Amino acid sequence: MNARIDPLDVPADPPGPFQPRSGQRGSGFLTGPLRLGTTPSATVGPYLAIGLTWPDGEQAAAEGTEGGFWIRGRVFDGAGDVVPDAMVETWQADPDGRFPSPEDPRGPAAYPGFRGYARAQTLTGEFAVFTLKPGRVPDGEGGLQAPHIDVSVFARGLLDRVVTRIYFADETEANAEDAVLRSLPDDAARQTLLATPADDGYRFDIRLQGEHETVFFAV
Amino acid sequence: MTRSTSDGGSESGLVLPRYLQEDPALRVPVAFPDYRSTGLRAPLRTPVDLPHRLTEVTGPVLGADRVTAADADLTVRTGGEAVGQRILVHGRVLDSDGRPVPDALVEVWQANAAGRYRHVVDTWPAPLDPHFDGLGRVVTDSLGRYEFLTVKPGAYPWGNHHNAWRPAHIHFSLFGRAFPQRLVTQMYFPDDPLFGQDPIFNAIPPAARHRAISRFSLERTQDNWALAFEWDIVLRGTGQTPFETDDDGDVA
Ligand SMILES: [Fe+3]
């Protein structure tokens, strides 16, 4: 054995002078804003009726409220078949263009008989929501939006809700001024958002897929 | 709360929050091919971006008047006690800025201990429980906390593929304070051996799956009574920290 070989005599690494690692050493946890990861969404599944049925669910406005009407419609899948296990939720301003919500920076409104929110299932083949015509709401750019209702659609086979808007076909002038409608590429797209007058209110069908697929929004 | 009005009369001066969207890499896609029902239902076109205006930054006030204390106990229905492993499910509802969401309506529904739903569409050969309807409702307290007592749901087959079984789960539906905070989701239990074959669970991007799984909580487990599972739910925030708000008195 050669006595001059020492297995513990390890040369310096790196051979040059010490240089600390540049940049941040931690995860950035303390310097970035506090941000929690949001809970992932999931489908409502086929049994949503157990958890999401309310006796007055379909009523954004109490029965008998003056000016009230029904919006009825069907939800179609990509094969053109009616979806019988969907739920449609609506949220909208009252006829004065105000919201029954403390988050309205103009202050919460309390329009008599008006809740602004409704949920309806499609068990019979169509959903039905009783409501009032929403007023025009500022668009934040100095103009007014056309009367509209925000809509969420939930169903088995949708891993997240899909969001659309109901506008009214008999609001031609307001619709022509509406920032959201104007931003859509063509009349065919705008057409998918128009509720049309019917016997006791309006009809609004939702097409999840297909040639006339409803315009859905990322909110 | 997370906005200000810059003038008294004109409404064009309103400054509205924009609710943050989760990192797209961590979001559940609307469609997932292994979950077959998405094939004909999930829209195929790219959704149009909708800036948040007044309709989007507001939301309904629901809850207190439609929820009773009994709604938080799913184990006692129609005059008797449900069969199964009693569990307390509890946690907090927060937004992604870390703020609690008080007064939020939380609706839950689930299968019974044998994995059967009380619903006409569910006809697989597992027994119904006369004292279990699978529906619960609670409203979060001023700190965003919720709790309900139920029985642990069983797994159930669902026909998506051969020998397809859903991992045990509880369906949750939540309203925050604004339209973008609406969430319907499912809570899972730790270490479920059925995760690997379940496309609804696996549609969640891998880095976000842990957020859907509750935590066994020995400290809240009740001696001689019930196990406990903890699950915090995070809704979308606006990117404003609690210190920038003027709506609460508990900021030091
Ligand atoms: Fe389920």
Side-chain angles (χ1 to χ4, degrees):
Chain A
M1 179 185 258
N2 190 330
R4 280 179 294 182
I5 296 177
D6 179 354
L8 304 184
D9 184 15
V10 180
D13 177 21
F18 171 69
Q19 288 188 330
R21 181 183 164 201
S22 64
Q24 185 172 269
R25 291 186 78 83
S27 68
F29 176 70
L30 294 178
T31 50
L34 175 61
R35 199 73 89 229
L36 305 178
T38 53
T39 303
S41 74
T43 176
V44 288
Y47 309 119
L48 70 159
I50 297 172
L52 301 177
T53 302
W54 291 349
D56 62 348
E58 299 185 343
Q59 291 170 279
E63 229 175 330
T65 306
E66 196 183 327
F69 55 81
W70 288 93
I71 300 175
R72 303 178 189 277
R74 291 170 292 179
V75 179
F76 294 98
D77 70 11
D81 291 330
V82 163
V83 175
D85 53 4
M87 180 178 74
V88 170
E89 287 184 346
T90 63
W91 170 245
Q92 63 170 90
D94 68 24
D96 299 329
R98 307 289 293 260
F99 294 90
S101 160
E103 296 300 308
D104 187 330
R106 303 165 298 171
Y111 192 93
F114 184 75
R115 183 169 70 199
Y117 166 80
R119 57 167 46 155
Q121 291 164 39
T122 56
L123 288 165
T124 65
E126 66 175 29
F127 67 88
V129 166
F130 186 77
T131 191
L132 308 175
K133 185 71 106 34
R136 298 186 68 177
V137 174
D139 65 7
E141 293 148 33
L144 292 172
Q145 301 183 72
H148 65 273
I149 299 175
D150 275 10
V151 176
S152 304
V153 183
F154 302 83
R156 171 176 68 82
L158 293 177
L159 283 162
D160 199 350
R161 65 168 172 169
V162 292
V163 169
T164 186
R165 270 187 170 193
I166 295 174
Y167 285 88
F168 298 87
D170 52 7
E171 296 281 349
T172 321
E173 277 176 39
N175 289 344
E177 296 170 6
D178 186 86
V180 174
L181 287 177
R182 288 166 67 110
S183 74
L184 298 179
D186 52 51
D187 277 339
R190 283 184 275 275
Q191 204 66 35
T192 69
L193 303 184
L194 296 184
T196 52
D199 283 351
D200 60 353
Y202 294 87
R203 281 209 71 82
F204 183 76
D205 289 337
I206 296 166
R207 290 179 173 77
L208 296 172
Q209 290 183 2
E211 196 192 340
H212 302 292
E213 181 178 308
T214 299
V215 170
F216 294 104
F217 294 104
V219 286
Chain B
M1 56 178 49
T2 57
R3 37 54 185 152
S4 57
T5 54
S6 60
D7 61 275
S10 161
E11 282 152 346
S12 61
L14 299 174
V15 177
L16 303 177
R18 167 108 204 188
Y19 284 82
L20 299 174
Q21 193 59 268
E22 180 63 74
D23 174 357
L26 297 176
R27 286 183 64 192
V28 177
V30 170
F32 191 71
D34 288 351
Y35 174 21
R36 288 178 13 212
S37 303
T38 65
L40 283 173
R41 293 188 168 192
L44 300 176
R45 297 184 191 165
T46 306
V48 175
D49 187 62
L50 184 69
H52 296 170
R53 298 187 176 89
L54 282 163
T55 317
E56 288 74 41
V57 303
T58 52
V61 177
L62 304 164
D65 58 336
R66 56 182 65 240
V67 174
T68 69
D71 292 336
D73 184 354
L74 288 77
T75 69
V76 177
R77 293 289 151 91
T78 57
E81 185 160 33
V83 171
Q85 174 71 64
R86 254 182 241 112
I87 58 172
L88 279 160
V89 178
H90 69 278
R92 296 181 76 194
V93 180
L94 305 164
D95 70 17
S96 58
D97 307 318
R99 291 186 299 185
V101 182
D103 307 316
L105 176 63
V106 180
E107 296 169 289
V108 299
W109 70 101
Q110 63 167 91
N112 68 22
R116 177 103 181 253
Y117 284 92
R118 183 172 291 282
H119 189 291
V120 289
V121 170
D122 190 0
T123 55
W124 83 285
L128 284 170
D129 179 340
H131 301 304
F132 191 76
D133 61 17
L135 165 66
R137 289 191 172 118
V138 292
V139 173
T140 59
D141 72 2
S142 62
L143 300 176
R145 298 178 299 183
Y146 74 91
E147 178 178 271
F148 57 91
L149 178 68
T150 184
V151 294
K152 190 172 180 198
Y156 60 87
W158 62 301
N160 181 73
H161 53 277
H162 175 67
N163 214 11
W165 293 79
R166 291 302 325 282
H169 60 276
I170 298 177
H171 295 261
F172 276 68
S173 164
L174 294 104
F175 293 87
R177 57 179 92 85
F179 187 77
Q181 293 187 321
R182 181 81 177 96
L183 178 69
V184 173
T185 183
Q186 299 180 18
M187 184 201 91
Y188 297 93
F189 293 88
D191 303 321
D192 196 313
L194 295 169
F195 284 153
Q197 57 78 61
D198 182 53
I200 293 179
F201 177 76
N202 288 297
I204 306 170
R209 285 177 195 158
H210 66 284
R211 300 177 193 164
I213 304 171
S214 58
R215 183 186 75 88
F216 172 65
S217 166
L218 184 62
E219 62 271 31
R220 288 287 280 278
T221 286
Q222 302 293 301
D223 188 30
N224 270 310
W225 181 248
L227 299 179
F229 290 87
E230 180 176 19
W231 194 49
D232 287 347
I233 300 160
V234 180
L235 309 177
R236 291 162 61 186
T238 59
Q240 306 213 10
T241 70
F243 303 102
E244 292 168 355
T245 69
D246 57 4
D247 63 312
D248 47 22
D250 59 14
V251 174

